[in-house]
Amino acid sequence: MKHLARGLKIGVVAGILLVGGYLLFLRANTSTTEPEETATVAESEESSAAEPEETETAKNTEETILNAESTVPEEIDEDENTEEESAASEEEEPSDTATLAFAGDVLFSELYLGAYDSSGIAAIADEEMLSHMQNADLFLLNEEFPFSLRGEPKEGKQYTFRTDPRYVSILQDLGADIVTLANNHALDYGQDAFCDTLDTLSQAGITYIGGGYDLAEASAPAVCTVNGQSFAIFGATRVSPSYEWYATSSQPGLFQTYDATRLNATITEADAEYDHVIVFVHWGIERNETPEDYQRTLAQGYIDAGADLIVGCHPHVLQGFEYYNGVPIIYSLGNYLFSNQTGETLLLETSFETDGSLDIQLVPCQRKGSGQALSVISAPETLYSRLTELSFGAEVTTDGVLQATTR
């Protein structure tokens, strides 16, 4: 049995060797004599066997290629994209310049209110003027009326004004951030109406200066930081009908500057704490184009105390400018949007730089007729020339820039 098993094993091994050799012989002959046909058959068989999987693979491959193609421009234009990203980054970087715009006397007549009700803010100012006001970092104006439906007109006063509180939306639409109440009309309808004004402005998100519930509030500056620069902005009046209008420690009212002692002291305190100090003051004689001597004296006192800009209102006409120790004084911005009156006026654009420099650009504007929206004056050369004549050591260039002179 052992010999039989051994014989079978030898036979099996021999058979395997013979079959293997024969297969090797066939493979060698086939690849030598029919390479193209074999290749074609192999490709055909491979394609046929792989077709179902290849369809899905092809789809995935196509998506991969498309995705790759969509990223190619980023790889090829890497430098270009880097420049674009850098430019975009520069555009998005906040400016170091703080732009504050100032306007003069504001009073909304019934004609204004009716036009606003029917046409909105476009009835008050056109798009160009709105862009100047709304795009400023801060826009300030003199609100020469109370927001209230209460009270009685002050007895014996020739002109008394007030406006329905719902029209505070006009100030919001104009872009007003801060208003001064330090003027000779804020208490035309008494203390209740005045307090309604304070509440109305607060609820509308508009800061007020020059008036308050007591002297501490009325004499305090509006404090804000714009593009990294800090400001303290005061409001005060040198024109009021009665001592009863002045704020006290227990009475609402205005901050007066007939006696500038308190204002000058607070300016000095603010100058030590903030980058810039501004005084928005009500003074002068109505309809006079030339400032009174006391205006010049007060302004110089504010500057000696530490003020960096003085802006004035009340005369209802434009007055000239002056530089004192390098600090600009704007004696009167005149009427801006005042009742139904028309005529030339200005929006003052001031640009404060981090190095302490201050640039001033005038925006000449007017209402051409009753009910017409405020618009830019296209040919202001005569106005600029007249303002230069009215100024002291200052001039307005042909492109509306205010600058100091040696004359």
Side-chain angles (χ1 to χ4, degrees):
M1 292 295 292
K2 290 182 180 178
H3 293 291
L4 178 60
R6 181 180 298 174
L8 288 173
K9 287 181 182 179
I10 293 171
V12 170
V13 172
I16 291 172
L17 292 174
L18 287 173
V19 171
Y22 179 72
L23 289 174
L24 288 173
F25 172 79
L26 288 178
R27 184 175 182 181
N29 286 343
T30 302
S31 75
T32 303
T33 58
E34 299 178 343
E36 293 183 3
E37 182 179 350
T38 304
T40 302
V41 172
E43 287 179 2
S44 176
E45 290 176 351
E46 183 179 355
S47 298
S48 175
E51 187 172 356
E53 295 182 7
E54 186 179 354
T55 302
E56 185 64 29
T57 304
K59 180 180 178 181
N60 293 338
T61 304
E62 182 179 0
E63 290 177 354
T64 303
I65 292 172
L66 290 175
N67 291 337
E69 288 177 348
S70 68
T71 61
V72 167
E74 294 183 6
E75 296 175 358
I76 294 176
D77 300 330
E78 184 174 351
D79 292 339
E80 180 180 342
N81 283 347
T82 301
E83 293 176 1
E84 291 177 356
E85 290 172 3
S86 177
S89 177
E90 290 178 3
E91 291 177 359
E92 293 172 2
E93 288 181 2
S95 172
D96 291 334
T97 302
T99 303
L100 280 65
F102 295 83
D105 302 326
V106 171
L107 169 67
F108 302 128
S109 68
E110 290 300 322
L111 183 63
Y112 266 48
L113 301 182
Y116 178 77
D117 285 338
S118 62
S119 303
I121 199 61
I124 309 298
D126 67 15
E127 288 186 9
E128 185 175 4
M129 284 305 304
L130 286 174
S131 69
H132 283 287
M133 293 180 274
Q134 295 171 350
N135 292 336
D137 293 313
L138 289 177
F139 174 39
L140 304 86
L141 56 82
N142 173 45
E143 181 194 315
E144 202 145 8
F145 60 90
F147 277 116
S148 183
L149 297 177
R150 296 197 295 166
E152 298 295 329
K154 182 173 176 59
E155 186 176 352
K157 197 167 187 290
Q158 184 178 6
Y159 299 107
T160 54
F161 309 131
R162 69 176 175 179
T163 297
D164 188 321
R166 69 187 180 92
Y167 287 109
V168 72
S169 60
I170 298 180
L171 296 184
Q172 293 174 311
D173 291 347
L174 290 174
D177 300 291
I178 300 174
V179 299
T180 179
L181 301 176
N183 56 59
N184 56 313
H185 288 287
L187 279 93
D188 276 357
Y189 280 76
Q191 288 190 357
D192 286 343
F194 177 72
C195 291
D196 287 345
T197 304
L198 304 181
D199 293 342
T200 298
L201 292 168
S202 294
Q203 292 167 9
I206 298 174
T207 301
Y208 55 81
I209 54 175
Y213 282 100
D214 53 31
L215 180 57
E217 183 179 42
S219 61
V223 173
C224 51
T225 299
V226 180
N227 296 337
Q229 301 182 58
S230 59
F231 291 82
I233 306 172
F234 292 90
T237 183
R238 174 58 171 69
V239 182
S240 60
S242 169
Y243 285 102
E244 297 175 355
W245 285 37
Y246 301 154
T248 68
S249 58
S250 59
Q251 173 179 289
L254 309 179
F255 184 31
Q256 63 85 18
T257 185
Y258 282 87
D259 178 355
T261 302
R262 184 182 181 106
L263 177 54
N264 286 342
T266 53
I267 289 172
T268 300
E269 292 173 2
D271 182 47
E273 187 172 355
Y274 303 100
D275 296 325
H276 311 288
V277 179
I278 299 171
V279 179
F280 204 166
V281 59
H282 212 72
W283 58 8
I285 304 297
E286 292 186 358
R287 306 301 168 189
N288 279 9
E289 291 184 322
T290 304
E292 301 298 298
D293 289 341
Y294 82 77
Q295 289 175 255
R296 300 185 69 186
T297 300
L298 284 174
Q300 291 171 13
Y302 302 151
I303 293 168
D304 288 340
D308 301 299
L309 173 66
I310 314 298
V311 179
C313 290
H314 176 64
H316 297 294
V317 293
L318 296 171
Q319 293 183 341
F321 314 106
E322 183 171 8
Y323 276 84
Y324 172 75
N325 290 344
V327 175
I329 305 166
I330 317 301
Y331 282 110
S332 174
L333 285 177
N335 291 331
Y336 190 63
L337 295 165
F338 195 85
S339 190
N340 295 327
Q341 297 182 24
T342 61
E344 296 177 330
T345 186
L346 296 173
L347 179 70
L348 190 78
E349 290 185 334
T350 61
S351 298
F352 291 83
E353 305 295 342
T354 54
D355 63 2
S357 62
L358 169 59
D359 298 321
I360 297 180
Q361 175 71 54
L362 308 183
V363 180
C365 46
Q366 65 181 350
R367 293 175 59 227
K368 294 182 179 178
S370 181
Q372 296 296 308
L374 191 70
S375 60
V376 173
I377 297 173
S378 58
E381 294 80 11
T382 301
L383 173 61
Y384 291 163
S385 177
R386 177 61 180 156
L387 289 172
T388 296
E389 291 176 3
L390 294 171
S391 298
F392 309 88
E395 67 176 1
V396 181
T397 66
T398 55
D399 53 357
V401 174
L402 179 64
Q403 60 186 23
T405 65
T406 56
R407 73 177 186 85

